[in-house]
Amino acid sequence: MYILGWDIDFGHLEAVNLISSTVYSEKQIGYLAVTLLFHENSDLVRLVVNSTKKDLDDMNEINNCLALHAIANIGGREMAESLATDVHRLLISPTSKSFVKKKAALTLLRLFRKHPDVIPVTDWADRIIGLMDEYDLGVALSVTTLVLTLAQSFPVEYGGCYEKAVNRMKRTLVDRDYSLDYIYYKVPTPWLQVKCLRLLQYYPPPEDPKLREDISELLQIIITNSQDAPKNVQHSNAQNAVLFEAINVAIHLDSNSTICAQAAALLGRFISSKETNVRYLGLETMAHLAACVDSLEPIKRHQETILMSLRDKDISVRRRGLDLLYSMCDTSNAKIIVSELLRYLQVADYAMREEMVLKIAILAEKFATAYSWYVDIILQLISTAGEQVGEEVWFRVVQIVTNNDELQEYAAKTVLNYLGSPQYNETMVKVGGYILGEFGHLIANYPGCSPIEQFNAVHSKFNLCSLQTRALLLTTYVKFINLFPEIKGQVLSVFNQYRYVLDSELQQRACEYLAISTMPTDDMLQTVCEEMPPFPERESTLLLKLNQKHGDTEDKRVWVIGGKEANMERQEGLKRIASMRMSSVDSAGGNGSPTIVNTPLASTPLAITSTATLSVEPDLLQLGDMTLTDSPVLNQAIVRQPRAASIPVIPTNLPLAQGYELGFNRLQCFKEGVLYEDGQIQLSIKTEYHGSQGRIGLYISNKTPFPMTNVFLQIPPHAQLNIQPQQPEDTSNTIGPQSQTQRLIQVECVDVYSSAPDLFCTYTLNGPPEFIHLKLPVVLTKFQEPIEAMDGANFFKRWGQLGGPPRESQIIFKSEGGPIQLPIADAVLRGYRFGLLQGVDPNPNNFVGAGVVDAGTTGGKVGVLLRLEPNLEQNMYRLTIRSPNELVSDHVRALLERTLMYGA
């Protein structure tokens, strides 16, 4: 029944009882049932823990294996906390059989991947690394798989695995020390070779010349062995798996070595192979070579073959071909590659188009030799890709055109030609609206580019556009009035028409622009429509967007798609690891305890200074001076240098802390409570919000009997929130045993948003730094003011004006947290800062609410209306949210749905 997908609510206790049996067949059936019926959050898991622990301690290897299977399959936090030590003991015990050690290593790997925060793997580093020398190759393979994962998270602590991996490779390839059982189609232990070679890539090239010589010898042996013609497909697969990983190691060590020259010739043969897997691996490895090598000439010899890979029948090969073209592009071949990519874009799969658009835009900007070529390529890209062109692409085009005077006239003329075509492309309309509104006067005297022709070209697409684009075009029209007074009458008629639309944004713009345009003098109009100043130079957001798309899989990438410049940051990270390893070794030699070197992070905002006066509002949280003000001080954080302790590097790619959802979800509708807690630290918050501004008191408690040092917070920038942490001068970065400290945070909402800000916390407690990644529960409804003084007539009038989708977001869902309780639903809605209107709905069980979200200077004030209709018999809700902003409707609905479904 379970396998067929039915929920089973019987037989659980019987399965638990069978585990305790002394009869093997009964114990086996019990463990099988437990692994099928239980999951990590099952309430009955704790009943299994004691029996499982007893079987782990048993001298019977079969019982050990059954228990390890159950732990790996269920893998809950409670099992990890209670049994990880026993699993580790089985792994390192000299009396454990080989097959038990193999299962113990893989079970430990499973627990670490699920709950990395509860497994003390740094304390076990030396014992686990030592097992890589096991004579049994099965144990060595399982342990190497475990070390490969642990070294990615703790490269310094597991630095000793580097020499172990090299020695294991020497024993396999040079000494031929392996069992015949582990030869796979004439290739000795290919899985172990691949994992050892991959492990070497997570560390910088060794300084020891003997070690470098050994690695070079091993790589040469692998390349020489690959010259043998494969006997069959299996032999080819095993041989190529080792070969490609060896080439990656050679590139990692020295991309300009003779081995890499040999590899480049081999790769040229592989990318022309008839076998799909070989073509795929060849293109991927060549992209790695292009990302690291100084000269691209050996790769350019195969440019025609690489371009042909875009037409391959397999989409994965096409993706790797695109990556390679992007990495090998430079000023000499940019026009050929970009033109070919644009041609292919017309027939490319939709799954690839968005990534292709980003790469074409980046290449066009990076290698443009003439402004006209850049404009032609980007506008052709927008015309071809259509919906696949993201906001960041046309934002970047506007920024570049605005900042380059030589580009403006040509861009205006070219975009007007595109707007004159019958084809509709909303992104092109946005670009055209902005460029013509700013620079249309530069072409007004050319044939076919008169003011009225510019206006007609833009306005012909007006009714086809979304509300957001129409708002942008209204701004273009008011600029036309300032630039071309002769078409004022035609533009004013559009403003008059849109004074009465339902959308508040369009209505407000039309009314304001009409008022400004009809003033007795043009002073105000000229002031409002002054030419845009050049944008400040900043890193292209296109690169950031592209890097987000190349997310890491289980094994982290050791290089990124792109040229050598794109990989400089990774190389610097490897150098830091090398220096940290050397420091650890030196310190261990001096006093027996390794130390971690902390690199200062100058961009971390520690505190701000403020000259604002005290708020006249009562300090409800007793947080001291957390005055909220519109002063520029709020937007400019004055970063002070650390006084005593150096600030550790906080890696912002950390996964979110296990169990962070509990505090984060609860505090979305509560003002104070525990945000996160584990065995060492507790973070609690108290909050207060008014309008678009808020203040947060963050309390950090040390739960241990030892002092907690180097306590630092980091909040990455958020596009729609101004977040300013404060740290007074007298605040220490050390928290005493069983003590607490406080940090203050000011928040200002400047636009509508849906993603909560990140919070990173680091501290040191008798060892290396600990890092915690959380989410601050600063959701959009925190900036909502409840409305309670509204009668039924007004509510339903506004409700009807907003209409249905897309301004309406509705969902019907079941309450998963138990029977619906109306007082709890009432408390949840009030917690999300909705004013509940009494007597509006004829059904007394239904809830009707209203509020106004203050989204700051950019987002403005957005009214939100709510109806919640509980069905007590079916234990279901129907939730409907309406607001003028569809993003607000969808986001508020999602927040309320989760809390009402599962509880706060």
Side-chain angles (χ1 to χ4, degrees):
M1 290 178 66
Y2 171 81
I3 296 174
L4 293 176
W6 297 92
D7 289 334
I8 300 177
D9 53 5
F10 59 88
H12 293 71
L13 289 176
E14 287 76 4
V16 173
N17 293 331
L18 284 174
I19 290 176
S20 304
S21 173
T22 56
V23 180
Y24 168 73
S25 58
E26 294 179 357
K27 185 183 288 288
Q28 183 188 34
I29 293 299
Y31 272 117
L32 178 62
V34 163
T35 55
L36 285 176
L37 303 182
F38 287 22
H39 55 82
E40 60 180 285
N41 297 319
S42 296
D43 294 332
L44 296 176
V45 166
R46 62 194 59 182
L47 299 179
V48 181
V49 170
N50 286 335
S51 298
T52 307
K53 186 176 179 64
K54 188 180 297 183
D55 286 332
L56 290 176
D57 294 336
D58 201 327
M59 298 301 293
N60 187 327
E61 296 87 357
I62 301 298
N63 292 346
N64 296 159
C65 292
L66 290 174
L68 291 170
H69 283 165
I71 296 169
N73 275 280
I74 300 173
R77 173 174 287 270
E78 189 165 351
M79 276 195 163
E81 291 174 343
S82 305
L83 303 176
T85 305
D86 297 287
V87 175
H88 174 252
R89 177 183 49 76
L90 279 179
L91 174 62
I92 64 174
S93 173
T95 60
S96 294
K97 299 287 187 181
S98 295
F99 61 87
V100 175
K101 288 186 177 182
K102 286 192 290 186
K103 295 179 188 299
L106 297 178
T107 302
L108 207 56
L109 175 62
R110 158 76 169 164
L111 293 179
F112 176 76
R113 284 177 175 168
K114 286 288 289 182
H115 308 286
D117 54 318
V118 301
I119 312 296
V121 290
T122 54
D123 301 336
W124 302 339
D126 293 338
R127 300 296 298 273
I128 292 177
I129 292 171
L131 291 172
M132 292 177 66
D133 288 331
E134 274 279 334
Y135 180 77
D136 187 285
L137 290 177
V139 176
L141 175 60
S142 299
V143 171
T144 304
T145 304
L146 173 61
V147 171
L148 181 63
T149 300
L150 299 180
Q152 294 171 46
S153 300
F154 305 101
V156 178
E157 291 81 353
Y158 282 82
C161 68
Y162 195 92
E163 291 188 27
K164 295 286 187 182
V166 175
N167 291 335
R168 173 56 73 176
M169 291 291 294
K170 284 184 65 178
R171 288 171 58 183
T172 303
L173 295 176
V174 179
D175 302 336
R176 300 184 179 276
D177 181 14
Y178 49 80
S179 167
L180 295 178
D181 296 335
Y182 284 89
I183 297 178
Y184 181 79
Y185 289 91
K186 298 188 177 181
V187 181
T189 62
W191 308 279
L192 182 56
Q193 288 191 58
V194 166
K195 290 186 184 298
C196 287
L197 290 169
R198 187 167 299 170
L199 188 56
L200 298 182
Q201 298 172 58
Y202 289 107
Y203 290 91
E207 299 294 335
D208 184 358
K210 177 66 169 64
L211 201 55
R212 289 182 73 102
E213 184 181 337
D214 289 343
I215 296 174
S216 298
E217 181 187 359
L218 294 171
L219 297 179
Q220 192 62 59
I221 291 173
I222 292 172
I223 291 177
T224 302
N225 291 342
S226 70
Q227 305 302 319
D228 300 338
K231 306 300 181 186
N232 47 47
V233 175
Q234 291 86 350
H235 183 197
S236 174
N237 289 341
Q239 185 173 277
N240 289 335
V242 178
L243 174 62
F244 283 115
E245 210 62 57
I247 294 174
N248 283 325
V249 174
I251 296 169
H252 175 73
L253 293 177
D254 183 3
S255 57
N256 300 306
S257 64
T258 55
I259 294 180
C260 282
Q262 290 179 263
L266 284 173
L267 293 174
R269 191 183 73 202
F270 288 135
I271 63 175
S272 304
S273 171
K274 294 181 180 179
E275 194 175 336
T276 303
N277 288 341
V278 176
R279 289 199 307 276
Y280 174 93
L281 291 170
L283 290 167
E284 183 178 44
T285 309
M286 193 173 276
H288 184 191
L289 181 62
C292 302
V293 76
D294 290 336
S295 173
L296 293 169
E297 291 306 318
I299 300 174
K300 289 180 183 177
R301 295 175 192 151
H302 310 287
Q303 184 169 299
E304 290 300 321
T305 306
I306 299 167
L307 288 171
M308 288 299 297
S309 68
L310 291 176
R311 266 78 178 173
D312 197 278
K313 60 184 179 181
D314 192 293
I315 187 172
S316 61
V317 175
R318 296 197 294 273
R319 285 184 183 277
R320 297 292 78 80
L322 174 62
D323 290 342
L324 177 52
L325 288 171
Y326 175 73
S327 297
M328 65 182 284
C329 191
D330 61 14
T331 51
S332 65
N333 61 5
K335 288 189 177 182
I336 298 174
I337 290 178
V338 170
S339 300
E340 184 64 31
L341 291 178
L342 275 173
R343 263 197 303 275
Y344 176 63
L345 182 62
Q346 301 175 13
V347 296
D349 301 81
Y350 278 92
M352 291 178 61
R353 282 196 172 191
E354 187 177 357
E355 182 181 344
M356 286 191 70
V357 167
L358 286 172
K359 289 181 174 175
I360 293 171
I362 292 169
L363 294 178
E365 177 185 341
K366 187 175 181 180
F367 299 112
T369 55
Y371 289 125
S372 57
W373 180 77
Y374 173 76
V375 171
D376 291 340
I377 290 295
I378 291 297
L379 294 183
Q380 186 182 346
L381 173 65
I382 294 173
S383 176
T384 303
E387 296 177 357
Q388 277 71 40
V389 179
E391 297 271 290
E392 57 281 341
V393 174
W394 81 266
F395 287 172
R396 187 64 176 169
V397 175
V398 164
Q399 178 182 339
I400 292 174
V401 172
T402 304
N403 288 8
N404 294 277
D405 296 340
E406 304 90 340
L407 197 54
Q408 293 163 2
E409 181 180 327
Y410 184 80
K413 193 170 183 180
T414 308
V415 80
L416 181 59
N417 291 335
Y418 275 100
L419 290 178
S421 67
Q423 180 184 0
Y424 169 70
N425 185 315
E426 183 155 344
T427 306
M428 185 69 75
V429 174
K430 293 178 184 178
V431 176
Y434 186 94
I435 292 179
L436 292 178
E438 288 292 325
F439 313 114
H441 63 283
L442 299 176
I443 62 170
N445 295 326
Y446 289 99
C449 303
S450 64
I452 189 62
E453 287 173 310
Q454 292 185 37
F455 173 74
N456 289 336
V458 176
H459 197 59
S460 63
K461 309 289 193 297
F462 188 86
N463 291 326
L464 301 173
C465 299
S466 65
L467 298 178
Q468 182 184 12
T469 305
R470 291 187 196 183
L472 185 149
L473 294 183
L474 289 180
T475 303
T476 300
Y477 294 165
V478 77
K479 293 178 181 178
F480 278 166
I481 292 178
N482 182 51
L483 296 173
F484 315 121
E486 61 268 30
I487 63 171
K488 183 174 180 179
Q490 291 90 329
V491 176
L492 290 182
S493 65
V494 177
F495 290 159
N496 268 314
Q497 177 186 353
Y498 275 83
R499 289 168 60 194
Y500 305 104
V501 294
L502 286 176
D503 186 79
S504 61
E505 176 68 21
L506 292 180
Q507 185 184 88
Q508 182 177 356
R509 290 197 185 209
C511 291
E512 290 178 357
Y513 293 159
L514 181 64
I516 293 172
S517 303
T518 54
M519 285 183 173
T521 65
D522 291 340
D523 295 344
M524 176 66 76
L525 179 63
Q526 292 174 1
T527 302
V528 170
C529 298
E530 283 184 353
E531 186 175 340
M532 282 290 291
F535 290 89
E537 289 299 327
R538 65 188 70 170
E539 183 183 0
S540 173
T541 56
L542 301 181
L543 286 171
L544 300 176
K545 179 76 172 178
L546 182 63
N547 290 336
Q548 289 174 4
K549 291 193 165 295
H550 291 291
D552 287 342
T553 52
E554 196 61 54
D555 286 336
K556 297 177 182 176
R557 295 183 73 106
V558 295
W559 57 282
V560 294
I561 302 298
K564 191 167 185 179
E565 294 178 6
N567 286 272
M568 292 302 292
E569 186 178 345
R570 297 288 178 112
Q571 298 302 321
E572 292 299 322
L574 288 175
K575 290 179 182 177
R576 283 198 297 271
I577 291 174
S579 65
M580 292 166 73
R581 284 176 61 195
M582 292 299 295
S583 300
S584 297
V585 171
D586 293 344
S587 177
N591 54 25
S593 61
T595 60
I596 303 299
V597 177
N598 292 327
T599 306
L601 187 66
S603 60
T604 306
L606 295 182
I608 66 171
T609 59
S610 175
T611 57
T613 57
L614 291 174
S615 172
V616 296
E617 297 179 7
D619 188 3
L620 302 180
L621 304 179
Q622 292 81 46
L623 298 178
D625 180 15
M626 295 176 64
T627 306
L628 300 173
T629 173
D630 292 330
S631 154
V633 175
L634 180 65
N635 299 319
Q636 297 176 356
I638 303 174
V639 180
R640 289 199 299 271
Q641 295 299 323
R643 295 177 294 276
S646 60
I647 309 170
V649 175
I650 301 180
T652 54
N653 59 348
L654 284 173
L656 286 161
Q658 189 70 31
Y660 84 98
E661 306 95 337
L662 297 176
F664 173 70
N665 292 335
R666 186 175 187 277
L667 290 170
Q668 289 178 12
C669 57
F670 287 94
K671 293 183 178 179
E672 58 182 75
V674 176
L675 176 62
Y676 175 78
E677 184 173 15
D678 59 23
Q680 299 177 344
I681 194 171
Q682 181 190 76
L683 288 86
S684 307
I685 64 171
K686 290 184 178 181
T687 61
E688 186 174 38
Y689 292 88
H690 180 69
S692 64
Q693 301 180 0
R695 45 193 175 186
I696 302 172
L698 180 62
Y699 298 87
I700 309 172
S701 303
N702 177 7
K703 299 171 61 177
T704 71
F706 308 102
M708 186 178 286
T709 60
N710 293 338
V711 179
F712 293 104
L713 300 178
Q714 177 180 337
I715 303 176
H718 192 285
Q720 291 82 28
L721 294 172
N722 283 336
I723 306 177
Q724 304 296 347
Q726 290 186 315
Q727 181 172 332
E729 289 285 353
D730 57 350
T731 302
S732 171
N733 294 318
T734 299
I735 308 176
Q738 308 293 333
S739 299
Q740 182 183 81
T741 190
Q742 174 184 329
R743 298 287 190 272
L744 309 180
I745 303 170
Q746 294 193 27
V747 185
E748 180 185 21
C749 179
V750 295
D751 200 357
V752 172
Y753 67 97
S754 58
S755 61
D758 293 289
L759 171 67
F760 294 90
C761 177
T762 179
Y763 62 90
T764 302
L765 192 69
N766 293 336
E770 302 283 347
F771 300 104
I772 302 173
H773 179 190
L774 305 172
K775 286 281 188 181
L776 273 177
V778 183
V779 293
L780 188 62
T781 52
K782 294 292 186 181
F783 303 100
Q784 179 169 251
E785 295 294 332
I787 295 177
E788 298 180 339
M790 183 186 294
D791 58 21
N794 274 329
F795 177 86
F796 285 109
K797 178 183 176 183
R798 296 173 187 271
W799 185 266
Q801 287 175 338
L802 290 173
R807 298 185 184 93
E808 176 184 278
S809 183
Q810 185 181 86
I811 190 168
I812 299 173
F813 58 93
K814 185 177 182 180
S815 172
E816 303 289 349
I820 292 176
Q821 299 184 38
L822 297 181
I824 293 179
D826 183 288
V828 168
L829 297 179
R830 294 184 187 276
Y832 279 103
R833 299 173 67 86
F834 275 97
L836 299 184
L837 310 179
Q838 306 299 326
V840 172
D841 196 296
N843 187 338
N845 290 339
N846 292 349
F847 296 90
V848 176
V852 176
V853 173
D854 192 339
T857 53
T858 304
K861 294 189 176 182
V862 183
V864 185
L865 301 180
L866 166 145
R867 293 191 70 187
L868 180 65
E869 301 163 84
N871 185 329
L872 301 180
E873 295 179 356
Q874 299 293 328
N875 200 37
M876 299 182 74
Y877 289 107
R878 179 163 67 180
L879 172 64
T880 310
I881 302 291
R882 289 186 182 182
S883 81
N885 188 316
E886 56 193 80
L887 295 177
V888 174
S889 302
D890 290 337
H891 182 52
V892 173
R893 189 266 305 155
L895 290 174
L896 290 172
E897 176 192 352
R898 191 214 61 76
T899 307
L900 291 168
M901 181 182 293
Y902 298 106

